């Protein structure tokens, strides 16, 4: 094999490198407690976590909690998407309204959702609606801000042309505003999906709403460390799945967009 051939050898695919990194992490988690580098009371070997995960998967309570988490995440994200897109199109499409509400949006958007936990508990107790309030609030701003950016990015010439032809407002949104704003909407969807999952688990952990977060808290307080880590692994897998699904949805919805077509060609 010549030096030129070695120089032309393509690098390993990114997914293979990712698997190698994951395998390395699993090996470290398995060996560090057994070698005495970490106390097993705080970080059990990965094999113990896997065994605890298998035990959890054999119980109906685990699957109920998983469904509660997914339901809360999906419901909150759906509400945030509908509200964010609708209000974003209305506010962004009326410049005086956007100017009037800009300061209000910039004031409310940075407020951490966890700061609303006392209010949510006061209103709904430990019910699912408490966590849903946090999920909707956090995800809504991700979507709204992106839609506002998208509406502002519409070509002024195209907007004025639509007005000169006396397009109805709905027709203007469908033919002029929506094609430009859609990439921003999908970015908001991807960001909102991740934020919604984070707040869903956070609410379940702190408030005690039904779901995997509450199961993690129960395992921690009862000293079932391996089961706690097993549930954390499940949450991590859900996060990876959500991210992959959101990106796949984005690529499918924007397959006509030049950036997506360029990535597919590459």
């Amino acid at each position: 094999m010549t030096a030129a051939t070695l120089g032309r050898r393509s690098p390993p695919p990114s997914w293979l490198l990712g698997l190698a990194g994951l395998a390395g992490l699993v090996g470290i988690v398995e060996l560090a407690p057994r070698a005495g580098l970490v106390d097993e009371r705080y970080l059990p070997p990965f094999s113990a976590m896997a065994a605890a995960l298998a035990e959890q998967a054999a119980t109906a309570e685990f699957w109920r909690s998983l469904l509660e988490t997914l339901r809360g995440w999906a419901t909150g994200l759906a509400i945030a998407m509908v509200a964010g897109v609708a209000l974003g199109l209305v506010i962004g499409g009326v410049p005086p309204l956007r100017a009037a509400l800009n300061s209000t949006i910039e004031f409310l958007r940075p407020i951490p959702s966890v700061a609303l936990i006392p209010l949510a508990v006061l209103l709904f107790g430990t019910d699912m609606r408490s966590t849903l309030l946090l999920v909707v609030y956090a995800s809504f701003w991700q979507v709204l801000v992106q839609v506002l950016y998208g509406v502002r990015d519409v070509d002024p010439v195209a907007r004025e042309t639509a007005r000169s032809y006396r397009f109805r407002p709905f027709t203007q949104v469908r033919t002029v505003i929506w094609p430009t704003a859609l990439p921003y909407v999908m970015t908001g969807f991807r960001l909102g999906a991740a934020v919604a999952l984070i707040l869903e688990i956070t609410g379940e952990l702190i408030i005690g709403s039904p779901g995997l977060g509450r199961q993690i808290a129960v395992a921690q307080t009862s000293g079932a460390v391996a089961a706690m880590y097993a549930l954390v692994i499940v949450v991590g897998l859900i996060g990876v799945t959500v991210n992959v699904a959101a990106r796949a949805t984005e690529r499918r919805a924007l397959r006509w967009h030049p950036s997506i077509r360029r990535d597919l060609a590459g």
Side-chain angles (χ1 to χ4, degrees), residues 32-58:
R34 297 188 183 279
L37 300 177
V38 182
D39 194 332
E40 291 191 19
R41 292 177 299 174
Y42 307 118
L43 182 66
F46 181 81
S47 56
M49 301 178 194
L53 179 57
E55 293 179 3
Q56 289 285 330

Side-chain angles (χ1 to χ4, degrees), residues 131-154:
T131 300
L132 184 62
L133 175 63
L134 306 182
V135 172
V136 172
Y137 185 85
S139 304
F140 169 77
W141 298 114
Q142 303 293 329
V143 179
L144 177 66
V145 170
Q146 290 298 322
V147 175
L148 291 176
Y149 286 150
V151 175
R152 188 171 61 182
D153 199 36
V154 174

